[in-house]
mmCIF file of all heavy atoms in Angstrom:
data_model
loop_
_atom_site.group_PDB
_atom_site.id
_atom_site.type_symbol
_atom_site.label_atom_id
_atom_site.label_comp_id
_atom_site.label_asym_id
_atom_site.label_seq_id
_atom_site.Cartn_x
_atom_site.Cartn_y
_atom_site.Cartn_z
ATOM 1 N N THR D 97 -46.282 -41.614 -9.433
ATOM 2 C CA THR D 97 -46.627 -40.708 -8.396
ATOM 3 C C THR D 97 -47.906 -39.969 -8.636
ATOM 4 O O THR D 97 -48.736 -39.755 -7.752
ATOM 5 C CB THR D 97 -45.443 -39.816 -8.073
ATOM 6 O OG1 THR D 97 -44.284 -40.613 -7.743
ATOM 7 C CG2 THR D 97 -45.724 -38.868 -6.982
ATOM 8 N N LEU D 98 -47.990 -39.435 -9.881
ATOM 9 C CA LEU D 98 -49.226 -38.725 -10.297
ATOM 10 C C LEU D 98 -50.418 -39.637 -10.118
ATOM 11 O O LEU D 98 -51.439 -39.284 -9.612
ATOM 12 C CB LEU D 98 -49.085 -38.159 -11.663
ATOM 13 C CG LEU D 98 -50.373 -37.502 -12.228
ATOM 14 C CD1 LEU D 98 -50.678 -36.230 -11.460
ATOM 15 C CD2 LEU D 98 -50.177 -37.219 -13.736
ATOM 16 N N LEU D 99 -50.272 -40.868 -10.623
ATOM 17 C CA LEU D 99 -51.379 -41.814 -10.636
ATOM 18 C C LEU D 99 -51.843 -42.074 -9.154
ATOM 19 O O LEU D 99 -53.003 -42.089 -8.869
ATOM 20 C CB LEU D 99 -50.863 -43.141 -11.174
ATOM 21 C CG LEU D 99 -51.851 -44.365 -11.151
ATOM 22 C CD1 LEU D 99 -53.089 -44.021 -11.953
ATOM 23 C CD2 LEU D 99 -51.132 -45.622 -11.569
ATOM 24 N N GLY D 100 -50.876 -42.190 -8.224
ATOM 25 C CA GLY D 100 -51.242 -42.395 -6.850
ATOM 26 C C GLY D 100 -51.940 -41.225 -6.212
ATOM 27 O O GLY D 100 -52.914 -41.391 -5.469
ATOM 28 N N PHE D 101 -51.484 -39.958 -6.484
ATOM 29 C CA PHE D 101 -52.052 -38.837 -5.945
ATOM 30 C C PHE D 101 -53.464 -38.664 -6.552
ATOM 31 O O PHE D 101 -54.393 -38.292 -5.709
ATOM 32 C CB PHE D 101 -51.173 -37.586 -6.263
ATOM 33 C CG PHE D 101 -50.090 -37.326 -5.220
ATOM 34 C CD1 PHE D 101 -49.060 -38.208 -5.112
ATOM 35 C CD2 PHE D 101 -50.204 -36.261 -4.375
ATOM 36 C CE1 PHE D 101 -48.026 -37.957 -4.162
ATOM 37 C CE2 PHE D 101 -49.170 -36.013 -3.404
ATOM 38 C CZ PHE D 101 -48.129 -36.832 -3.314
ATOM 39 N N VAL D 102 -53.634 -38.820 -7.824
ATOM 40 C CA VAL D 102 -54.998 -38.611 -8.378
ATOM 41 C C VAL D 102 -55.950 -39.668 -7.954
ATOM 42 O O VAL D 102 -57.134 -39.420 -7.655
ATOM 43 C CB VAL D 102 -54.882 -38.511 -9.956
ATOM 44 C CG1 VAL D 102 -56.232 -38.495 -10.613
ATOM 45 C CG2 VAL D 102 -54.060 -37.303 -10.369
ATOM 46 N N ARG D 103 -55.503 -40.961 -7.933
ATOM 47 C CA ARG D 103 -56.367 -42.068 -7.674
ATOM 48 C C ARG D 103 -56.638 -42.282 -6.220
ATOM 49 O O ARG D 103 -57.703 -42.649 -5.761
ATOM 50 C CB ARG D 103 -55.842 -43.370 -8.324
ATOM 51 C CG ARG D 103 -56.904 -44.491 -8.471
ATOM 52 C CD ARG D 103 -56.358 -45.574 -9.339
ATOM 53 N NE ARG D 103 -55.277 -46.291 -8.738
ATOM 54 C CZ ARG D 103 -54.413 -47.130 -9.398
ATOM 55 N NH1 ARG D 103 -54.639 -47.437 -10.653
ATOM 56 N NH2 ARG D 103 -53.462 -47.743 -8.742
ATOM 57 N N ASN D 104 -55.537 -42.111 -5.391
ATOM 58 C CA ASN D 104 -55.598 -42.460 -3.943
ATOM 59 C C ASN D 104 -55.329 -41.314 -3.027
ATOM 60 O O ASN D 104 -55.369 -41.448 -1.789
ATOM 61 C CB ASN D 104 -54.703 -43.628 -3.618
ATOM 62 C CG ASN D 104 -54.927 -44.847 -4.534
ATOM 63 O OD1 ASN D 104 -56.063 -45.131 -4.894
ATOM 64 N ND2 ASN D 104 -53.842 -45.581 -4.747
ATOM 65 N N GLY D 105 -54.893 -40.128 -3.482
ATOM 66 C CA GLY D 105 -54.638 -39.023 -2.674
ATOM 67 C C GLY D 105 -53.215 -39.046 -2.112
ATOM 68 O O GLY D 105 -52.880 -38.175 -1.269
ATOM 69 N N GLY D 106 -52.342 -39.866 -2.612
ATOM 70 C CA GLY D 106 -50.895 -39.922 -2.142
ATOM 71 C C GLY D 106 -50.152 -40.973 -2.877
ATOM 72 O O GLY D 106 -50.695 -41.678 -3.745
ATOM 73 N N PRO D 107 -48.861 -41.147 -2.501
ATOM 74 C CA PRO D 107 -48.111 -42.197 -3.195
ATOM 75 C C PRO D 107 -48.735 -43.568 -3.080
ATOM 76 O O PRO D 107 -49.384 -43.932 -2.174
ATOM 77 C CB PRO D 107 -46.802 -42.213 -2.320
ATOM 78 C CG PRO D 107 -46.715 -40.828 -1.782
ATOM 79 C CD PRO D 107 -48.145 -40.456 -1.436
ATOM 80 N N LEU D 108 -48.527 -44.423 -4.138
ATOM 81 C CA LEU D 108 -49.088 -45.734 -4.233
ATOM 82 C C LEU D 108 -48.353 -46.648 -3.143
ATOM 83 O O LEU D 108 -47.156 -46.565 -3.023
ATOM 84 C CB LEU D 108 -48.909 -46.323 -5.614
ATOM 85 C CG LEU D 108 -49.603 -45.666 -6.722
ATOM 86 C CD1 LEU D 108 -49.167 -46.261 -8.073
ATOM 87 C CD2 LEU D 108 -51.112 -45.953 -6.611
ATOM 88 N N ALA D 109 -49.179 -47.420 -2.479
ATOM 89 C CA ALA D 109 -48.615 -48.335 -1.460
ATOM 90 C C ALA D 109 -47.606 -49.305 -2.016
ATOM 91 O O ALA D 109 -46.682 -49.746 -1.381
ATOM 92 C CB ALA D 109 -49.722 -48.990 -0.682
ATOM 93 N N HIS D 110 -47.868 -49.767 -3.273
ATOM 94 C CA HIS D 110 -47.070 -50.887 -3.818
ATOM 95 C C HIS D 110 -45.966 -50.357 -4.710
ATOM 96 O O HIS D 110 -45.270 -51.114 -5.409
ATOM 97 C CB HIS D 110 -48.010 -51.848 -4.670
ATOM 98 C CG HIS D 110 -48.621 -51.126 -5.814
ATOM 99 N ND1 HIS D 110 -49.874 -50.531 -5.724
ATOM 100 C CD2 HIS D 110 -48.208 -50.931 -7.075
ATOM 101 C CE1 HIS D 110 -50.152 -50.024 -6.881
ATOM 102 N NE2 HIS D 110 -49.214 -50.255 -7.664
ATOM 103 N N ASP D 111 -45.799 -49.038 -4.787
ATOM 104 C CA ASP D 111 -44.754 -48.479 -5.708
ATOM 105 C C ASP D 111 -43.367 -48.723 -5.195
ATOM 106 O O ASP D 111 -43.150 -49.187 -4.096
ATOM 107 C CB ASP D 111 -44.998 -46.996 -5.832
ATOM 108 C CG ASP D 111 -44.632 -46.473 -7.261
ATOM 109 O OD1 ASP D 111 -43.938 -47.200 -8.018
ATOM 110 O OD2 ASP D 111 -45.040 -45.357 -7.650
ATOM 111 N N ARG D 112 -42.416 -48.481 -6.064
ATOM 112 C CA ARG D 112 -40.997 -48.700 -5.695
ATOM 113 C C ARG D 112 -40.112 -47.436 -5.719
ATOM 114 O O ARG D 112 -38.973 -47.431 -5.357
ATOM 115 C CB ARG D 112 -40.361 -49.721 -6.544
ATOM 116 C CG ARG D 112 -40.340 -49.424 -8.035
ATOM 117 C CD ARG D 112 -39.908 -50.561 -8.880
ATOM 118 N NE ARG D 112 -39.870 -50.227 -10.287
ATOM 119 C CZ ARG D 112 -38.748 -49.729 -10.863
ATOM 120 N NH1 ARG D 112 -37.656 -49.556 -10.231
ATOM 121 N NH2 ARG D 112 -38.814 -49.371 -12.161
#
Side-chain angles (χ1 to χ4, degrees):
T97 298
L98 175 68
L99 176 64
F101 274 69
V102 172
R103 197 169 67 191
N104 303 330
L108 294 170
H110 62 269
D111 213 344
R112 60 190 182 88

